[in-house]
């Protein structure tokens, strides 16, 4: 760094000495001060005092904004700061400090928005943060109010010998809970000894011995019944839970959840609400917990990709017309016949009127000849053009001499277009983007056919209003539909439907012709790599030769006496796509184990 700054200082001093000529005294004085500040800034940088060096460098640029040394040093410092911020952000990202890393990458991009390393680092940090956020449960639910017992927390000792119903009555009463024993509980003799037991331990052991289970009725009352499948279905208290499926994109997704709950868990009370992405279930709490684990794994968030689509379109046309246009067609006519045609009936009547008025003398042949010449000049007569005559008498003929033209025209045009589209899509869900216009095309118009008195009246007072014509709209521009299937964190399959439409240069009966370019297919692309989606090259070349037959193709004479017309049209279209993973598939490693409740004993 010091060697680079020293070289920059030397070259900039030489450039400043050369550029001092032609400046005013004040400008020269400011430049000298700026040079001193710049040299002081370099000394501060060499000494390691970056803050003072930056201050002196800013002061130098304030005095002389065009100082090359200060500008170069500032750019070097900026690049060094960008590299330092990027390096620190990468270290923070490796240490799982995502927010600090994102802030560091953004600060680096604020200094240079085109820095590739900072862009890739920010993209990776955002992807990791998205994945971390995705680890949170995606299925949210809300339980209805539940009745919970409030037993005494004191531990009790039991030494009982006698009837099972009496045991249950004594045990529950010891914890200040009033039991209601159902008639289905079988009475049998038993012995029960337990020391220092809390409520949960005592009731669990007693339920296994007596083969019963309880249903809370209130905070201080419980119903005790025999543990049979029939009693489980009849008396077991059902919890009410509402699942919010946030990732459901259609009513079909909600129906899939309902089908899963009914077939896998045999839930009978399932109520879907597709409009609000909710499913309400009434079932035992233990089974609801298991269903929550399954739904959280299935709807924990679909993986998503960001598709970066670039459309490059280049078109170039050339029209060149070069050469000498010599006549290739000649008109042969009879001079006497063409002269007699001048004296048609209309011209003869005009001459007679002039003779009768005394304007011309009939015997004066020169006056008549002048009149004929004037008539010929004022009309598009064949005699009014350059001609060459030959022959004599009645066979006297003439040939029109056409004009010779020089062609030297050139018309060249070029067109370049770049469209950049960013499209975010979730796995299995089609995403569509349209960029363009809707062009109206006239289908039918209305006008009165019969002229009735009513129509004549509105036409006369100019109050007639024609009915609105019929239009249909065509989508012009870009239409892209992509359905991704993400395979882990390395590849993605894309089902792509690409369409590019525009107005053509020709029309049919006033209706424009619409050009259409389409691509439909499924491709596999590694994540982060660019693939060519579609490419098309169109080349048209038209050559025209106009000249005298037999001479136009001669090497030298033909080139000098012919016209060469060349028209070319080159068009290229290239579509590239680059997928970026923004959210990975989230799976709970424990979702498949330890969530099914054990059967009742």
């Amino acid at each position: 760094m010091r060697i680079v700054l020293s070289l920059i200082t030397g070259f900039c001093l030489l450039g400043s000495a050369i550029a001092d000529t032609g400046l005013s005294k004040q400008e020269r004085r400011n430049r000298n001060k700026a040079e001193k500040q710049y040299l002081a800034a370099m000394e501060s940088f060499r000494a390691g005092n970056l803050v003072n060096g930056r201050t002196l460098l800013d002061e130098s640029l304030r005095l002389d904004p065009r100082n090359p040394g200060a500008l170069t040093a500032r750019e070097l410092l900026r690049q060094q700061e960008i590299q330092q911020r990027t390096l620190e952000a990468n270290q923070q990202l490796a240490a799982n400090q995502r927010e600090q890393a994102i802030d560091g990458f953004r600060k680096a991009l604020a200094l240079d928005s085109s820095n590739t390393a900072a862009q890739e680092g920010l993209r990776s940090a955002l992807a990791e943060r998205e994945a971390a956020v995705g680890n949170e449960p995606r299925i949210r639910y809300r339980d209805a109010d539940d009745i919970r017992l409030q037993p005494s927390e004191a531990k009790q000792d039991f030494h009982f010998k006698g009837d099972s119903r009496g045991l249950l009555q004594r045990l529950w009463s010891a914890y200040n809970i009033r039991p209601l024993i159902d008639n289905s509980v079988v009475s049998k003799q038993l012995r029960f000894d337990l020391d220092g037991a809390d409520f949960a331990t005592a009731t669990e052991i007693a339920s296994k011995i007596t083969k019963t289970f309880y249903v809370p009725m209130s905070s201080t009352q419980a119903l005790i019944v025999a543990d049979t499948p029939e009693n489980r279905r009849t008396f077991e208290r059902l919890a009410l839970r509402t699942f919010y499926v946030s990732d459901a994109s259609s009513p079909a997704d909600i129906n899939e959840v309902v089908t899963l709950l009914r077939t896998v868990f045999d839930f009978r009370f399932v109520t879907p609400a597709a409009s609000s992405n909710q499913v309400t279930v009434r079932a035992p709490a233990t089974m609801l917990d298991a269903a929550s684990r399954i739904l959280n794994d299935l709807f924990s968030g679909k993986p998503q990709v960001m598709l970066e689509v670039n459309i490059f379109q280049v078109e170039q046309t050339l029209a060149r017309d070069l050469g000498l246009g010599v006549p290739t067609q000649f008109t042969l006519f009879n001079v006497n016949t063409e002269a007699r045609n001048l004296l048609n009936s209309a011209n003869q009547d005009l001459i007679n009127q002039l003779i009768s008025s005394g304007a011309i003398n009939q015997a004066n042949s020169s006056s008549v000849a002048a009149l004929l010449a004037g008539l010929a000049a004022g009309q598009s007569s064949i005699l009014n053009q350059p001609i060459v005559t030959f022959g004599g008498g009645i066979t006297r003929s003439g040939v029109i001499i056409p004009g010779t033209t020089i062609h030297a025209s050139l018309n060249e045009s070029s067109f370049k277009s770049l469209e950049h589209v960013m499209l975010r899509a979730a796995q299995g869900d089609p995403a569509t983007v349209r960029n363009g216009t809707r062009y109206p095309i006239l289908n039918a118009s209305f006008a009165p056919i019969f002229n009735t008195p009513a129509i004549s009246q509105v036409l006369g007072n100019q109050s007639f209003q024609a009915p609105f014509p019929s239009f249909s709209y065509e989508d012009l521009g870009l239409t892209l539909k992509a359905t991704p299937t993400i395979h882990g964190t390395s590849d993605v399959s894309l089902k792509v439907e690409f369409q590019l439409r525009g107005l053509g240069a020709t029309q049919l009966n006033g209706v424009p012709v619409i050009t259409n370019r389409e691509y439909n297919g499924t491709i596999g692309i590694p994540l982060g790599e660019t693939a060519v989606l579609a490419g098309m090259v169109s080349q048209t070349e038209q050559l025209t030769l106009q000249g005298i037959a037999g001479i136009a193709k001669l090497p030298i004479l033909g080139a000098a006496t012919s016209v060469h017309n060349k028209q070319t049209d080159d068009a290229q279209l290239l579509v590239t796509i680059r997928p970026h993973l923004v959210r990975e598939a989230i799976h709970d490693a424990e979702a498949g184990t330890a969530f099914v409740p054990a059967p009742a004993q």
Side-chain angles (χ1 to χ4, degrees):
M1 179 70 178
R2 292 184 178 180
I3 296 175
V4 175
L5 290 175
S6 299
L7 292 175
I8 293 172
T9 303
F11 283 115
C12 293
L13 287 174
L14 178 60
S16 299
I18 296 174
D20 278 345
T21 59
L23 298 177
S24 63
K25 292 183 179 181
Q26 183 63 33
E27 291 176 345
R28 192 176 291 111
R29 189 179 299 111
N30 290 339
R31 175 162 292 187
N32 292 334
K33 290 182 180 179
E35 198 65 34
K36 292 180 181 179
Q37 296 287 348
Y38 163 66
L39 294 176
M42 294 297 102
E43 292 298 331
S44 298
F45 288 139
R46 293 188 185 96
N49 192 350
L50 298 179
V51 177
N52 186 44
R54 291 178 184 275
T55 304
L56 294 174
L57 196 62
D58 293 339
E59 181 65 20
S60 175
L61 289 173
R62 187 187 66 81
L63 295 172
D64 184 10
R66 296 180 296 178
N67 188 293
L71 292 174
T72 306
R74 185 176 65 178
E75 180 62 24
L76 286 175
L77 290 175
R78 188 174 71 92
Q79 293 297 331
Q80 185 182 13
E81 185 177 359
I82 292 172
Q83 295 177 2
Q84 183 66 25
R85 290 185 181 276
T86 304
L87 179 61
E88 293 176 355
N90 283 321
Q91 294 174 352
Q92 291 170 348
L93 185 61
N96 204 22
Q97 299 175 356
R98 300 187 187 91
E99 296 302 327
Q100 293 85 341
I102 291 173
D103 184 63
F105 286 127
R106 285 175 175 169
K107 289 181 179 179
L109 290 174
L111 296 174
D112 183 8
S113 60
S114 61
N115 188 278
T116 306
Q119 290 176 353
E120 293 295 335
L122 179 61
R123 189 179 294 114
S124 301
L126 291 176
E128 290 188 11
R129 185 176 69 174
E130 185 74 18
V133 174
N135 287 329
E136 298 178 359
R138 294 286 175 174
I139 291 293
R140 297 182 297 109
Y141 58 85
R142 174 176 55 85
D143 289 332
D145 295 336
D146 194 9
I147 300 176
R148 297 184 180 275
L149 294 174
Q150 296 180 357
S152 173
E153 297 181 357
K155 295 183 179 181
Q156 303 290 336
D157 298 333
F158 298 96
H159 301 280
F160 179 83
K161 182 178 180 182
D163 183 69
S164 58
R165 297 175 67 92
L167 171 65
L168 294 173
Q169 184 71 35
R170 179 178 174 182
L171 186 146
W172 285 82
S173 299
Y175 294 99
N176 298 327
I177 302 296
R178 186 163 61 90
L180 300 177
I181 303 176
D182 187 68
N183 294 331
S184 61
V185 178
V186 178
S187 178
K188 61 181 179 178
Q189 296 295 319
L190 51 83
R191 182 168 181 171
F192 187 80
D193 294 312
L194 188 64
D195 296 329
D198 57 8
F199 173 77
T201 303
T203 54
E204 182 178 0
I205 295 176
S207 297
K208 291 181 179 181
I209 293 177
T210 59
K211 297 186 181 302
T212 59
F213 71 96
Y214 69 92
V215 179
M217 303 296 292
S218 66
S219 60
T220 59
Q221 189 177 31
L223 175 65
I224 303 175
V225 296
D227 192 355
T228 61
E230 294 79 8
N231 287 340
R232 285 279 184 179
R233 289 193 296 268
T234 303
F235 294 101
E236 190 174 31
R237 184 171 180 83
L238 302 180
L240 186 66
R241 180 170 295 181
T242 300
F243 295 95
Y244 300 91
V245 189
S246 59
D247 277 352
S249 58
S250 64
D253 294 339
I254 300 298
N255 294 333
E256 290 179 1
V257 174
V258 173
T259 303
L260 173 68
L261 295 175
R262 287 177 175 171
T263 55
V264 176
F265 297 97
D266 196 21
F267 290 160
R268 294 178 297 169
F269 306 105
V270 182
T271 304
S275 59
S276 56
N277 291 352
Q278 297 179 9
V279 178
T280 302
V281 182
R282 190 158 61 93
T286 54
M287 298 299 294
L288 287 179
D289 293 338
S292 301
R293 297 285 297 275
I294 293 294
L295 293 180
N296 184 61
D297 182 60
L298 294 179
F299 292 91
S300 59
K302 296 181 180 179
Q304 297 180 1
V305 292
M306 182 70 74
L307 303 178
E308 183 179 356
V309 183
N310 291 316
I311 304 173
F312 305 92
Q313 187 175 3
V314 179
E315 186 173 356
Q316 186 172 7
T317 60
L318 172 67
R320 186 182 63 191
D321 196 11
L322 184 63
L324 184 65
V326 297
T328 58
Q329 295 181 353
F330 302 91
T331 302
L332 180 65
F333 62 93
N334 186 273
V335 176
N336 298 328
T337 302
E338 191 66 25
R340 282 194 300 268
N341 289 337
L342 292 175
L343 298 176
N344 51 27
S345 58
N347 293 338
Q348 187 62 45
D349 293 339
L350 180 58
I351 293 174
N352 293 334
Q353 292 178 8
L354 293 175
I355 293 175
S356 62
S357 63
I360 60 173
N361 188 359
Q362 186 176 7
N364 191 350
S365 60
S366 60
S367 299
V368 176
L371 177 61
L372 291 176
L375 292 174
Q379 300 179 1
S380 59
S381 173
I382 201 171
L383 297 176
N384 197 25
Q385 303 180 33
I387 61 175
V388 175
T389 61
F390 60 90
I394 61 174
T395 61
R396 186 180 183 184
S397 302
V399 178
I400 297 177
I401 303 176
T404 301
T405 58
I406 298 177
H407 297 260
S409 64
L410 177 65
N411 186 4
E412 184 176 4
S413 63
S414 62
F415 171 78
K416 298 179 181 179
S417 174
L418 168 62
E419 293 194 29
H420 183 78
V421 181
M422 298 294 290
L423 181 66
R424 183 162 181 166
Q427 173 163 295
D429 296 334
T432 305
V433 60
R434 290 185 175 90
N435 183 16
T437 58
R438 291 178 60 84
Y439 186 81
I441 295 179
L442 180 64
N443 294 329
S445 60
F446 303 91
I449 299 178
F450 300 103
N451 189 9
T452 62
I455 294 178
S456 300
Q457 181 179 0
V458 295
L459 290 176
N461 57 24
Q462 298 182 354
S463 62
F464 175 74
Q465 294 182 356
F468 192 79
S470 173
F471 285 93
S472 64
Y473 288 87
E474 293 289 338
D475 290 325
L476 302 182
L478 169 68
T479 301
L480 178 63
K481 181 179 180 181
T483 304
T485 301
I486 303 168
H487 310 288
T489 59
S490 58
D491 299 301
V492 59
S493 298
L494 288 175
K495 182 180 180 183
V496 181
E497 299 178 13
F498 171 80
Q499 188 179 68
L500 190 62
R501 308 180 71 187
L503 290 179
T506 59
Q507 294 185 354
L508 295 177
N509 296 328
V511 179
V513 176
I514 297 178
T515 61
N516 189 25
R517 300 173 182 176
E518 291 188 9
Y519 168 81
N520 296 327
T522 302
I523 58 175
I525 309 175
L527 289 168
E529 296 187 9
T530 302
V532 177
L533 184 65
M536 184 176 65
V537 177
S538 175
Q539 293 183 345
T540 303
E541 183 176 3
Q542 181 179 356
L543 300 176
T544 305
L545 177 62
Q546 182 180 1
I548 302 174
I551 300 178
K553 292 188 177 182
L554 294 178
I556 299 176
L557 183 60
T561 60
S562 60
V563 177
H564 296 265
N565 182 273
K566 181 180 181 180
Q567 295 183 359
T568 60
D569 188 355
D570 296 335
Q572 299 181 12
L573 177 67
L574 183 66
V575 182
T576 63
I577 189 168
R578 183 180 185 184
H580 301 281
L581 182 64
V582 295
R583 190 171 77 180
E584 299 180 10
I586 304 168
H587 298 287
D588 189 354
E590 301 177 356
T593 60
F595 63 88
V596 179
Q601 299 295 329

